[in-house]
């Protein structure tokens, strides 16, 4: 998975460079002033980065594809295992276009540049790309505010922890991972103000061996709930083996660890895709100049919660907080300091999207290890 690690590392660099001008996914070109007009009936197709049964990122898109088909009453063919190189992406997409498909759904950062080139070459085709960084008159990249579900899962974690000692298996110390670790701790402290979160960074997005080592190390420290922002269910499997609890990422990890998993971040991309395709069909779609950064309210990330071990009163509080987020609550609202005591968000303020994408600090209660 070295290729995926490199491209995601490049993604964070691209996001950091774009923060000054927008929320994150790159400021490549503003959207057209007029809505995009699709010619003919909408025919959508999906290009998957990995296998549709990978248990994580690609499978979440596959499941969203099926739900989108059912909601719209259309068929969305899919091609899988299209890696992040122009020589793989271009022929797959152009074959769909040749067959009359006029809405192309991408699923990887590494598609960004090629999708930009294809969108310019085929201006009458609509392109959307999950975790991409390029945008244009007929192209919109989209990602989710994943820190919102992790805040809620942190609450569930603290609710089942005996002493409030939580752990977190994280991939790389980038903004998109750091904001999940911080949100996890902020959520946990809504239940237990003394809760701590010890995070171990594996240095890879998908490495079951390193994930197992990290999870076992956390369990060995007396931690009794393990969260994650990595691609495989290994951390949850280890939690179940150790007789402790865990929270998952990408999909509902109860599939792999039914006794251990009390909450998971789940990508519901259909909540973005369904209204977007409807807008494209209606001729009202206006791609955002900086892409779409979707919340629980707007579609993308949500939670699968809660496992039977979570007390009913805690479940009620979690769901109340979820509704508050939908109603406009901001996770990173002031006053907020980092663990060194430096003020990061003043009272009455909210952390900007640009500062979210370049987050390189941790809230009090987070302990980081390599």
């Amino acid at each position: 998975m070295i290729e995926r690690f490199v491209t995601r590392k490049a993604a964070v660099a691209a996001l950091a460079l774009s923060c000054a001008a927008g929320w994150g996914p790159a400021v490549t070109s503003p959207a057209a002033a007029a809505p995009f007009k699709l010619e003919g009936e909408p025919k959508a197709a999906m290009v998957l980065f990995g296998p549709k049964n990978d248990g994580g990122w690609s499978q979440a898109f596959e499941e969203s594809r099926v739900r989108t088909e059912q909601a719209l009453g259309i068929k969305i063919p899919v091609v899988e295992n299209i890696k992040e190189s122009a020589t793989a992406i271009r022929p797959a997409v152009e074959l769909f276009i040749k067959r009359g498909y006029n809405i192309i759904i991408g699923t990887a950062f590494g598609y960004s540049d090629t999708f930009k080139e294809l969108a310019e070459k085929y201006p009458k085709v609509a392109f959307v790309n999950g975790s991409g960084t390029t945008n244009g008159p007929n192209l919109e990249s989209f990602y989710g505010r994943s820190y919102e579900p992790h805040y809620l899962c942190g609450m569930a974690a603290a609710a089942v922890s005996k002493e409030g000692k939580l752990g977190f298996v994280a991939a790389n110390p980038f903004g998109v991972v750091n904001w999940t670790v911080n949100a996890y701790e902020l959520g946990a402290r809504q239940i237990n103000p003394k809760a701590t979160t010890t995070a171990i960074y594996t240095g890879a997005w998908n490495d079951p061996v390193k994930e197992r080592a990290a999870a076992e190390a956390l369990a060995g420290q007396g931690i009794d709930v393990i969260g994650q922002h990595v691609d495989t269910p290994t951390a949850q499997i280890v939690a179940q083996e150790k007789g402790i609890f865990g929270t998952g990422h990408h999909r509902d990890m109860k599939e792999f660890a039914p006794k251990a998993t009390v909450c998971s971040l789940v990508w519901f991309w259909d909540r973005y895709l369904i209204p977007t395709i409807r807008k494209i069909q209606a001729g009202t779609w206006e791609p955002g100049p900086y892409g779409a950064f979707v919340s629980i309210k707007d579609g993308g990330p949500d939670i699968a919660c809660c496992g039977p071990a979570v007390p009913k009163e805690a479940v009620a509080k979690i769901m109340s907080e979820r509704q508050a987020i939908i109603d406009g609550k901001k996770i990173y609202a002031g006053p907020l300091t980092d663990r060194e005591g430096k003020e990061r968000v003043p009272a009455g303020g909210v952390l900007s999207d640009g500062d979210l994408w370049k987050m390189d600090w941790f809230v009090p209660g987070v302990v980081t290890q390599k």
Side-chain angles (χ1 to χ4, degrees):
M1 301 305 293
I2 294 176
E3 179 186 28
R4 194 171 187 189
F5 168 76
V6 171
T7 53
R8 287 206 192 175
K9 186 174 181 180
V12 175
L15 295 172
L17 288 172
S18 67
C19 284
W23 55 263
V27 187
T28 53
S29 63
F36 172 78
K37 301 297 182 182
L38 189 72
E39 293 187 355
E41 290 298 311
K43 291 186 64 178
M46 180 175 285
V47 181
L48 276 181
F49 164 78
K52 59 185 179 182
N53 62 347
D54 69 350
W57 174 259
S58 291
Q59 189 166 340
F61 267 102
E62 165 63 11
E63 291 166 348
S64 293
R65 180 190 68 84
V66 173
R67 292 192 294 267
T68 301
E69 283 186 331
Q70 294 169 346
L72 297 178
I74 61 175
K75 290 295 183 181
I76 304 175
V78 59
V79 60
E80 51 190 318
N81 292 310
I82 303 301
K83 302 307 179 184
E84 295 167 301
S85 68
T87 54
I89 301 162
R90 190 176 292 112
V93 171
E94 291 191 321
L95 182 59
F96 276 132
I97 294 173
K98 182 178 179 180
R99 292 176 176 175
Y101 291 92
N102 52 14
I103 302 173
I104 306 297
I105 304 166
T107 60
F109 160 78
Y111 293 2
S112 298
D113 291 342
T114 305
F115 263 49
K116 177 68 174 175
E117 295 168 3
L118 288 168
E120 292 172 350
K121 181 177 180 180
Y122 300 100
K124 297 180 181 179
V125 175
F127 294 82
V128 294
N129 185 26
S131 79
T133 61
T134 51
N135 301 283
N138 59 326
L139 166 63
E140 182 172 78
S141 291
F142 60 95
Y143 193 63
R145 296 181 184 271
S146 55
Y147 54 87
E148 294 177 342
H150 278 287
Y151 170 85
L152 299 172
C153 284
M155 294 177 67
V160 298
S161 177
K162 293 179 180 179
E163 298 182 6
K165 293 180 66 176
L166 314 179
F168 204 95
V169 179
N172 297 287
F174 301 155
V176 293
V177 181
N178 294 341
W179 77 35
T180 64
V181 175
N182 281 334
Y184 201 75
E185 174 64 13
L186 291 173
R189 291 201 168 191
Q190 292 294 311
I191 301 294
N192 180 354
K194 296 182 180 180
T196 61
T197 299
T198 299
I200 296 180
Y201 288 85
T202 65
W205 298 102
N206 188 318
D207 190 325
V209 174
K210 290 182 178 179
E211 291 163 27
R212 172 168 286 277
E216 289 179 343
L218 291 169
Q221 296 176 33
I223 283 163
D224 57 3
V225 189
I226 301 175
Q228 68 175 81
H229 185 160
V230 285
D231 283 0
T232 86
T234 303
Q236 305 311 300
I237 293 170
V238 171
Q240 183 155 299
E241 292 172 355
K242 299 294 184 181
I244 58 178
F245 296 105
T247 64
H249 187 71
H250 286 323
R251 300 175 60 252
D252 187 352
M253 291 301 173
K254 288 199 300 289
E255 175 183 345
F256 304 97
K259 295 180 180 179
T261 305
V262 296
C263 182
S264 293
L265 174 150
V266 180
W267 295 113
F268 290 99
W269 293 121
D270 46 298
R271 298 179 185 173
Y272 165 83
L273 292 172
I274 291 168
T276 298
I277 292 174
R278 283 175 173 159
K279 289 177 183 177
I280 293 171
Q281 181 179 25
T284 60
W285 183 53
E286 297 182 62
Y290 309 121
F293 190 20
V294 292
S295 64
I296 290 177
K297 176 182 178 180
D298 301 320
D302 207 334
I303 54 171
C305 192
C306 295
V310 184
K312 291 183 179 179
E313 59 271 21
V315 174
K317 188 169 184 179
I318 291 167
M319 292 306 166
S320 177
E321 284 292 280
R322 178 182 178 276
Q323 187 59 50
I325 292 170
I326 291 172
D327 292 339
K329 175 175 177 171
K330 304 300 182 184
I331 304 302
Y332 290 104
L336 187 62
T337 63
D338 63 24
R339 63 187 178 186
E340 282 77 36
K342 179 181 178 181
E343 182 182 79
R344 293 292 182 167
V345 187
V350 176
L351 195 67
S352 71
D353 287 347
D355 285 331
L356 273 169
W357 284 98
K358 60 184 179 182
M359 183 177 283
D360 60 358
W361 52 272
F362 297 97
V363 299
V366 172
V367 179
T368 50
Q369 299 178 347
K370 292 184 179 180

